[in-house]
Amino acid sequence: MSVSDVTSRIQQIQGQFALLTSGLGVGAPVGSAVLAAGTAPGSFARTLDGAQSAAPSASPPALGQPTGSPAGAVDGAAVVAQARQYLGVPYVWGGTNPATGLDCSGLVQVVYDKLGVHLPRVAFQQAREGRAVASLAEAKPGDLLAFGSPVHHIAIYIGDHKMIEAPHTGADVRISDVYETPTAIRRILPDTAAATGSLAPLARTAPAGTPYSGLFAAAQQKYGVPATLLAAIAHQESGFSPSAVSPAGARGLMQLMPGTAHSLGVNPDDPAQAVDGAARMMRDLIHQFGSVDLALAAYNAGPGAVHRYHGIPPYPETRSYVPAVLDYQRALEAA
């Protein structure tokens, strides 16, 4: 076995150990795929099946102030610019704090988190995010390059056959050639055309007479999520009732659990704050999964369930929830 093989195997074991320890609440932040195990179907806000509710074990990073576009308009150039801020940070296994060190998936998570896109903690989880890219020739700056089977290393492509990576113990975050063929290439951000298609028509507001249409329009302007989609979610979740409370304790217009609302910094009983929080979640879910239907499934059943079943999970509630929301959105668009 070569030195390279040994290093790869060590990194693979480290990644698996990081996943186990995160599930036990030790070390790295918990990713959605860890929390997903055993989660029952229900609203995204009710399941808390994602990283929003997990508190990082490390102190807030001192480096890496957001660079480039706001999260609602993040592009590959912004990802690369953000990643470049961490050049020279030492590799530390399990590291998620740029002030003390990063490992490969810690680097990826920190970069995207700074731009408002939340990714799981471990490399092989990150290598399932977004959409597949067929080859390096089709890769764009900001795409993730995963290596090994199972995946044991991940990096951020910057173009021209180069990537930014946190390579291994004893080395710093650096720019490297893509030294071997990736086993997976994943596009986390929507293409401009794809994003327009999946969220279109962005200029269309909910028709007159739709409850809280002004709040939905403002959230569309702020986060790029269509007002008609947000209105359809509110209709399905609460029937446009700001005082609705579910048997599980979800509250308000968008049916946010108190813990989820707290992590978003909103009051679930305040319609304006609830719509703002739900719009941010949908923006991130659309970026994460690359399509509105999968984002809706994640809103209802949790991102972990969507990953686990590689699509809309086979829960009757979720299978009826997604088309019901989309049908109501189409009705609003046609009104």
Side-chain angles (χ1 to χ4, degrees):
M1 180 178 287
S2 68
V3 172
S4 176
D5 291 335
V6 171
T7 301
S8 296
R9 179 57 179 159
I10 290 171
Q11 290 174 337
Q12 175 187 337
I13 293 170
Q14 289 173 337
Q16 293 168 339
F17 181 74
L19 177 62
L20 291 173
T21 54
S22 66
L24 295 171
V26 179
V30 179
S32 59
V34 175
L35 293 178
T39 302
S43 168
F44 171 75
R46 294 191 292 274
T47 62
L48 286 176
D49 193 353
Q52 289 90 340
S53 63
S57 60
S59 57
L63 302 176
Q65 295 303 311
T67 300
S69 306
V74 170
D75 57 15
V79 174
V80 172
Q82 187 69 36
R84 285 180 179 276
Q85 294 191 57
Y86 304 104
L87 293 173
V89 171
Y91 177 96
V92 172
W93 173 62
T96 59
N97 186 346
T100 55
L102 298 167
D103 64 10
C104 63
S105 55
L107 170 66
V108 169
Q109 188 183 54
V110 166
V111 167
Y112 270 93
D113 190 65
K114 283 293 182 182
L115 297 170
V117 180
H118 305 295
L119 295 178
R121 171 65 185 92
V122 182
F124 75 81
Q125 294 175 314
Q126 294 172 355
R128 296 196 297 257
E129 295 293 300
R131 305 175 312 288
V133 176
S135 68
L136 194 61
E138 300 175 48
K140 296 181 178 180
D143 289 348
L144 302 185
L145 307 183
F147 301 91
S149 183
V151 171
H152 58 74
H153 186 56
I154 198 157
I156 297 172
Y157 189 60
I158 65 174
D160 196 27
H161 213 76
K162 296 184 182 297
M163 62 187 183
I164 292 179
E165 62 170 348
H168 53 76
T169 300
D172 298 336
V173 175
R174 66 189 185 188
I175 294 175
S176 304
D177 291 330
V178 181
Y179 43 75
E180 62 182 83
T181 302
T183 51
I185 304 173
R186 305 296 293 187
R187 181 156 300 151
I188 304 302
L189 304 177
D191 296 317
T192 302
T196 303
S198 63
L199 297 177
L202 285 178
R204 183 72 165 95
T205 58
T210 303
Y212 304 103
S213 58
L215 297 182
F216 301 132
Q220 171 181 291
Q221 181 69 24
K222 188 174 181 180
Y223 299 113
V225 179
T228 51
L229 178 60
L230 295 171
I233 292 171
H235 173 266
Q236 188 67 23
E237 291 284 353
S238 69
F240 294 115
S241 172
S243 59
V245 180
S246 79
R251 304 183 64 89
L253 186 65
M254 309 306 285
Q255 288 293 276
L256 303 177
M257 283 292 284
T260 302
H262 178 74
S263 71
L264 291 165
V266 300
N267 177 358
D269 298 320
D270 182 310
Q273 294 187 43
V275 170
D276 186 271
R280 273 185 280 148
M281 284 201 299
M282 280 301 296
R283 176 201 64 190
D284 291 347
L285 290 170
I286 291 168
H287 285 167
Q288 180 176 349
F289 291 104
S291 71
V292 171
D293 57 346
L294 292 181
L296 285 170
Y299 191 101
N300 178 259
V306 176
H307 286 302
R308 189 159 57 249
Y309 290 101
H310 306 290
I312 298 174
Y315 307 146
E317 178 187 331
T318 308
R319 288 290 174 93
S320 62
Y321 177 89
V322 173
V325 172
L326 294 177
D327 285 347
Y328 195 83
Q329 183 191 14
R330 281 190 285 269
L332 291 176
E333 297 285 359

